[in-house]
Amino acid sequence: MKISPKVWRNGEFIDWDDARIHVMSHVVNYGTSVFEGIRCYNSKKGPAIFRLTEHMQRLVNSAKIYRMDSGFDREQFCDAAVSLVRESGLDECYLRPVVFRGLDENNPAFGVYPLNNPVESYIAAWEWGKYLGDEAIENGIDVCVSSWTRFNTNALPAMAKAGANYMNSQLIKMEAKLGGFSEGIALDDRGYVSEGSGENIFLVNNGRLITPPLGAAILPGITRDSVIQLAREMGIAVEEAVIQRAALYLADELFFTGTAAEISPIRSVDRITIGSGKRGEITKRLQEEFFKVVLAERPAPNGAEWLTFIHEAGAGQTVTAN
Ligand code: PMP
């Protein structure tokens, strides 16, 4: 795996080996972080970051919910990401911005109350292949419904992509993997389908897409939004509705969406075969359009600007694919 030798920290570049924190940092003890996962694709027009503005807006939103003032705004984070990709020399990579509470060694504060701890911002980057395995995109994956429940949004707001949320995701993922599945699907506290440990989920029923609403304790996924927009443009109806567990088994097609997972078909749930047990036709069509957009082989729906080209654009400037 190739890793960017430089890391962006609070407005400057440092060496990978220097990107370290104290063990008594607030984040280590209490999970005080918000982060993003962003892909840069090696598109037809060179490296291009997918939906950079939306990701950085979600980062800023997550930080706001947790009263973390990084001192950087959305545009500054976008510029930093573009500069980091340029510095890294990588044609394609996964970007990981993370904002967390560290430790002021001159004035340490070790309690739960976070506001006396400094806020630190970092962006790292590395080459990351297919998250759910190279075969997943075509053949689909076997998943289970988790015995763990997705957290209630009044306990941990799902709208924030916070590090602490991923303790719940880790329980789901460990149970799935150790049980011989690739991924787990969590139900929400009412028993309705929520999402995977790191992906949103879609059902295809009679040619329509159905996905849980934001109220089902899901992260407002940017790939989810991209698929909804692509589907509508393709004339495929999309409904955001509560979904019972059993409806997963009866779906014609099922797939996950996420920055890391992209669009990954699901071929079985709890060892029950979904549809024909292979990637479905609508899933395939959506994947094809999605990959064309990220590789700048076609424009985004409604003329939206989804790609930030690293070499053609000025820092942070977004260019429409055509
Ligand atoms: N849900 C969870 C819990 C996730 O971690 C992710 C990955 N960020 C997603 C959904 C998908 O979100 P996105 O498409 O913005 O990557």
Side-chain angles (χ1 to χ4, degrees), residues 10 45-46 73-74 85 102 106 113 117-118 150 158 170 187-188 216 221 226 245 279 306 308:
N10 299 333
K45 293 182 176 178
D73 64 18
R74 183 184 75 189
V85 175
N106 296 321
Y113 183 68
N117 299 87
R150 183 82 173 145
Q170 288 177 53
L187 306 178
D188 69 13
S226 307
R245 173 180 184 160
R279 172 175 63 179
W306 283 3
T308 301

Side-chain angles (χ1 to χ4, degrees), residues 58 150 161 166 195 197-200 219 221-223 257-259:
R58 193 170 64 186
R150 183 82 173 145
K161 190 169 169 65
Y166 288 82
E195 60 181 349
S197 72
E199 308 85 8
N200 294 113
L219 183 78
I222 289 160
T223 321
T257 63
T259 297

Side-chain angles (χ1 to χ4, degrees), residues 51-109:
R51 304 201 70 177
L52 177 60
T53 309
E54 292 85 345
H55 278 285
M56 291 308 190
Q57 183 62 53
R58 193 170 64 186
L59 180 71
V60 167
N61 292 352
S62 300
K64 182 171 185 182
I65 291 170
Y66 283 100
R67 303 171 198 266
M68 295 165 85
D69 182 3
S70 70
F72 295 99
D73 64 18
R74 183 184 75 189
E75 300 323 312
Q76 288 169 314
F77 279 123
C78 288
D79 289 350
V82 169
S83 305
L84 179 65
V85 175
R86 281 199 190 124
E87 279 283 321
S88 76
L90 300 173
D91 290 331
E92 56 187 350
C93 59
Y94 181 89
L95 290 151
R96 169 54 54 82
V98 56
V99 176
F100 60 84
R101 285 198 185 268
L103 176 73
D104 179 351
E105 293 190 31
N106 296 321
N107 192 12

Side-chain angles (χ1 to χ4, degrees), residues 22-54:
H22 197 282
V23 70
M24 283 311 295
S25 296
H26 202 269
V27 60
V28 175
N29 293 272
Y30 304 115
T32 329
S33 70
V34 295
F35 69 101
E36 272 304 316
I38 310 173
R39 270 196 196 265
C40 175
Y41 287 93
N42 190 9
S43 81
K44 196 174 89 176
K45 293 182 176 178
I49 306 180
F50 184 61
R51 304 201 70 177
L52 177 60
T53 309
E54 292 85 345

